[in-house]
Amino acid sequence: MMLFLYNLIVQIADFLLKIVAFFSPKIKLFVDGRKVVFPVLEQKIKASDKTIWFHAASLGEYEQGLPVIEKIKAKYPNHKIVLTFFSPSGYEVRKNNSVADVTVYLPLDTKKNAKQFLALVHPEMALFIKYEYWPNYLNELRKLGTPTFLVSGIFRKNQVFFKWYGGFYRKALNTFTYFFVQNESSKNLLLQLGKTNVAVSGDTRFDRVAAILEKDNSLDFISQFKNDTLTIVVGSSWPKDESLLVDFINQISGKVKFIIAPHNIKAEQIQELKNSISKKTVLFSEKESKNLADFDVFIIDTIGILTKIYSYADIAYVGGGFGNPGVHNILEPATFGVPIVIGPNFSHFAEATALVNMGGCVSVSNKNELYEAFFSLLSNDDIRHEKGHICNTFVQMNKGATNIIMKNISQTKLC
């Protein structure tokens, strides 16, 4: 009965999404992107190909799973890596990644789609990153006997699995060969469900961000702009963050520069942000015709370079903490040993909670606290360096999840 209701809801959602797509560019990407999935799979995967399937809900999950994808690719070089995304915010940004052989949207979770997808991909192993449990896909994987793993999973008491009415979803968990979870509380919740095929591996994001230090993170235009000046990098900011930050930028005197990489880079919002700043401000899209050293504020109206920009930060402000679900990724600036300032909504993120408690990250709730945090970090080199050291050490001490996962997966027999 529950499966019937679930499938009915998915069918209704499919119908409604096609209508909403006429009015929403993001939903249009969601709908149109799925129209070509099966033809792409038919074209790029042969019946004789050996494949391994990774699924990521969005960009964050992709970044989280990347260390494992890279290790799997190296261990099984004769297998094609098939990567699926649920959300346009993941697929549209990483559809041209170099790690997967085939990258597509995941078709909606109907029984027909699941059967057709798995028939075309015929994976010898399936790995789901952190979240998303699609019953029809999982049921079909179980029928096929495909080894299925959860990578960097996290479970909370308020999830449907642990409710009296969650039997339908609890049954879907029976598919998994092994659960690799981030913390002991997730393991204990699974043990309550009788799942003993679980290990606390930690969070693979630490491995990913630690590896960033081994790459070339130089950007000549950022070096030119920074010009050996104390620089605050604002990453993934939302309007609520920017309203406080702009006040600070406009009022502060002294030699400080700001790089702002907003979460949303729509032209009208970028222009509105630029107009609100009284100091000399330049956009990334204008940089070719400017002497960047002459400017105080650099707004990055493009995507894909924020990680490298953090390497130039003396202080980082990571946005999202004044909204829901909360703060964005703080581990990227942390790995560079940069002290971090965030908004008040961070309790759902274990790494942010830990770094706030350790003192490497400062949470602010209003304009006065923001001013106090920035002035303290700008005026005292010792405080700034101490907090940055805490952040880098935190990342280094939490590496190793990928090796734990690979040690177990390596025991899985593939063709």
Side-chain angles (χ1 to χ4, degrees):
M1 181 62 181
M2 282 299 296
L3 182 59
F4 172 79
L5 289 174
Y6 173 82
N7 286 329
L8 180 62
I9 291 169
V10 173
Q11 294 287 357
I12 294 171
D14 186 23
F15 174 75
L16 293 175
L17 285 167
K18 288 173 181 173
I19 296 174
V20 176
F22 287 105
F23 311 99
S24 167
K26 185 173 183 179
I27 298 300
K28 181 173 174 57
L29 289 171
F30 182 97
V31 171
D32 289 350
R34 284 168 165 79
K35 291 178 181 177
V36 299
V37 171
F38 293 131
V40 167
L41 294 176
E42 287 174 354
Q43 177 189 353
K44 294 190 174 183
I45 301 176
K46 302 172 185 173
S48 57
D49 286 336
K50 297 184 287 188
T51 68
I52 297 173
W53 171 33
F54 284 86
H55 175 67
S58 192
L59 182 60
E61 288 74 25
Y62 165 79
E63 299 289 353
Q64 193 159 33
L66 188 56
V68 179
I69 301 174
E70 290 173 337
K71 290 283 189 181
I72 289 284
K73 187 179 181 72
K75 181 171 179 57
Y76 303 103
N78 296 323
H79 286 68
K80 284 188 174 179
I81 303 296
V82 179
L83 173 65
T84 58
F85 285 98
F86 182 77
S87 166
S89 57
Y91 175 80
E92 298 300 329
V93 176
R94 288 291 180 261
K95 60 186 175 184
N96 295 318
N97 69 84
S98 59
V99 71
D101 299 284
V102 185
T103 302
V104 292
Y105 279 102
L106 181 69
L108 288 181
D109 186 34
T110 65
K111 190 171 183 179
K112 179 182 176 183
N113 283 346
K115 280 179 175 265
Q116 188 173 357
F117 176 87
L118 291 171
L120 289 169
V121 176
H122 47 82
E124 296 181 20
M125 182 192 300
L127 300 97
F128 289 71
I129 303 164
K130 189 178 180 181
Y131 288 132
E132 297 210 327
Y133 310 90
W134 299 112
N136 283 310
Y137 281 100
L138 292 174
N139 286 338
E140 291 303 317
L141 285 167
R142 182 171 61 237
K143 290 177 184 176
L144 293 168
T146 306
T148 304
F149 300 91
L150 182 67
V151 173
S152 286
I154 193 159
F155 291 89
R156 299 186 179 93
K157 284 184 180 179
N158 62 353
Q159 288 175 303
V160 67
F161 308 110
F162 310 105
K163 304 292 186 182
W164 64 267
Y165 51 82
F168 171 63
Y169 278 94
R170 285 195 291 273
K171 189 175 180 182
L173 294 181
N174 293 336
T175 302
F176 287 96
T177 307
Y178 218 85
F179 299 88
F180 298 102
V181 296
Q182 293 186 28
N183 51 40
E184 287 289 343
S185 62
S186 293
K187 178 180 178 179
N188 290 335
L189 285 169
L190 286 173
L191 288 174
Q192 290 174 24
L193 299 182
K195 308 295 181 191
T196 57
N197 51 335
V198 52
V200 178
S201 60
D203 190 342
T204 49
R205 286 182 304 162
F206 288 100
D207 296 325
R208 189 191 74 80
V209 297
I212 290 170
L213 296 177
E214 301 169 12
K215 299 179 180 178
D216 179 7
N217 295 294
S218 60
L219 295 168
D220 290 343
F221 57 90
I222 297 294
S223 296
Q224 184 188 356
F225 169 79
K226 182 178 172 73
N227 197 25
D228 295 323
T229 307
L230 273 175
T231 301
I232 296 176
V233 173
V234 176
S236 303
S237 58
W238 290 77
K240 285 184 180 179
D241 303 297
E242 291 158 6
S243 64
L244 299 182
L245 291 160
V246 166
D247 283 344
F248 181 80
I249 292 169
N250 288 340
Q251 292 186 34
I252 190 173
S253 57
K255 224 177 173 189
V256 184
K257 292 198 172 192
F258 298 84
I259 302 173
I260 306 175
H263 179 75
N264 192 324
I265 57 169
K266 288 183 179 177
E268 62 272 19
Q269 293 187 20
I270 292 292
Q271 195 58 48
E272 185 178 339
L273 174 60
K274 183 181 179 182
N275 293 341
S276 69
I277 298 171
S278 58
K279 301 211 170 152
K280 289 189 68 177
T281 303
V282 63
L283 304 182
F284 173 87
S285 55
E286 303 169 331
K287 68 181 174 64
E288 300 305 331
S289 59
K290 309 289 184 181
N291 180 7
L292 296 176
D294 293 339
F295 291 87
D296 303 304
V297 183
F298 195 176
I299 299 176
I300 310 300
D301 54 344
T302 188
I303 59 174
I305 58 174
L306 176 57
T307 301
K308 291 187 176 185
I309 291 174
Y310 278 134
S311 71
Y312 292 87
D314 296 289
I315 301 165
Y317 178 95
V318 178
F322 282 92
N324 288 309
V327 69
H328 287 282
N329 186 359
I330 68 168
L331 293 180
E332 289 182 348
T335 198
F336 290 111
V338 178
I340 302 163
V341 180
I342 60 174
N345 296 342
F346 62 87
S347 60
H348 285 306
F349 303 91
E351 69 281 3
T353 302
L355 269 179
V356 168
N357 291 336
M358 294 169 68
C361 182
V362 180
S363 172
V364 299
S365 299
N366 52 53
K367 182 169 72 173
N368 290 338
E369 291 180 4
L370 179 81
Y371 279 40
E372 183 180 340
F374 277 155
F375 279 128
S376 172
L377 290 167
L378 288 168
S379 62
N380 192 314
D381 290 352
D382 290 339
I383 291 176
R384 192 169 66 249
H385 293 149
E386 179 187 355
K387 290 184 178 296
H389 178 70
I390 290 170
C391 287
N392 173 261
T393 301
F394 176 69
V395 172
Q396 294 299 319
M397 292 294 289
N398 283 280
K399 294 189 303 183
T402 303
N403 288 338
I404 294 172
I405 292 167
M406 288 303 301
K407 185 176 180 180
N408 186 297
I409 287 179
S410 296
Q411 300 171 17
T412 303
K413 303 296 183 189
L414 299 187
C415 295

